[in-house]
Each structure stands twice: as structure tokens, then as C-alpha cells.
Amino acid sequence: MSSTAGRWFRYAAIAETISWVGLLIGMFFKYIVVKNDIGVFVFGRVHGAMFVFYLATMLWTAKVHRWGFGRLVVGGAASIPPFLGLLFERWVAKRDAVAEPAEAEPAVASAR
């Protein structure tokens, strides 16, 4: 997706995925290693913010690119399991790149 909304959606999907990794690491340390919840406390809040950021940019991108209701529902559902939001963004970017017509080369002005 070459639009501003599409780029921000990509950033949101990446940020949401990274926050998932942090939250999962925090959960590992909380329940397995240290029995301390500081990682979950910090990354839980970060992930919550990135989740909202993902959903907001997804709605913006859906409006700009005129997504159907089905794609919007799949995108929202993809935000719940770990890492699926990033896979959804890549899938949408690939499908939109195929659907967009190739830009024609600019016409060269004839010299008179």
C-alpha cells in the first residue's frame, strides 16, 4: 500500500507485533523464571496502546482503500492472536499491490 494510511498501518502492525513479543517474554519471566510481574506490567500497557494504534490505523486504511466489511472483520480478528496482525498487513499489502494498476511512465514532452 503506497498511501500514507497504508504506511502507518504497516508501522502499527510491526509495533503491535513487537509489543506482543515483549508481553510474551514478560509472561515467561513472570510465570517461569522470576515470578515477578514487572515485565507483564510494562509490556501489557505498551501492548494495549499498540493494539489500539493498530485498530485505529486499520480503520483509517480501510476507509482510504475502501475495504469491504469482510476484510475489516478479518483485520480486527487478526489483531488478537500473536503476530497475526503483521501477517494480515503483509497479505493486504501484497493483494493491494496486485490489484493496483501499474503506473504509466510520464509522457515525454515533444520538443518543437
Side-chain angles (χ1 to χ4, degrees):
M1 289 178 280
S2 60
S3 69
T4 302
R7 282 193 307 275
W8 277 102
F9 182 53
R10 172 170 283 163
Y11 301 150
I14 292 168
E16 199 255 350
T17 299
I18 291 169
S19 71
W20 254 121
V21 170
L23 183 58
L24 291 173
I25 290 170
M27 288 170 46
F28 174 76
F29 277 93
K30 177 180 179 178
Y31 295 110
I32 306 294
V33 178
V34 191
K35 309 290 188 205
N36 186 336
D37 69 341
I38 189 70
V40 173
F41 179 80
V42 171
F43 281 106
R45 282 158 175 71
V46 170
H47 178 65
M50 292 303 102
F51 177 76
V52 171
F53 179 49
Y54 174 89
L55 291 177
T57 57
M58 183 191 66
L59 291 172
W60 179 28
T61 304
K63 183 177 179 181
V64 169
H65 290 271
R66 296 186 175 133
W67 290 356
F69 183 71
R71 186 179 283 192
L72 192 60
V73 168
V74 170
S79 67
I80 297 170
F83 318 121
L84 202 54
L86 184 60
L87 293 175
F88 172 75
E89 185 278 327
R90 300 290 167 123
W91 176 76
V92 168
K94 186 177 179 180
R95 288 184 57 96
D96 284 354
V98 170
E100 290 177 359
E103 292 185 26
E105 293 182 25
V108 178
S110 60
R112 287 190 182 188

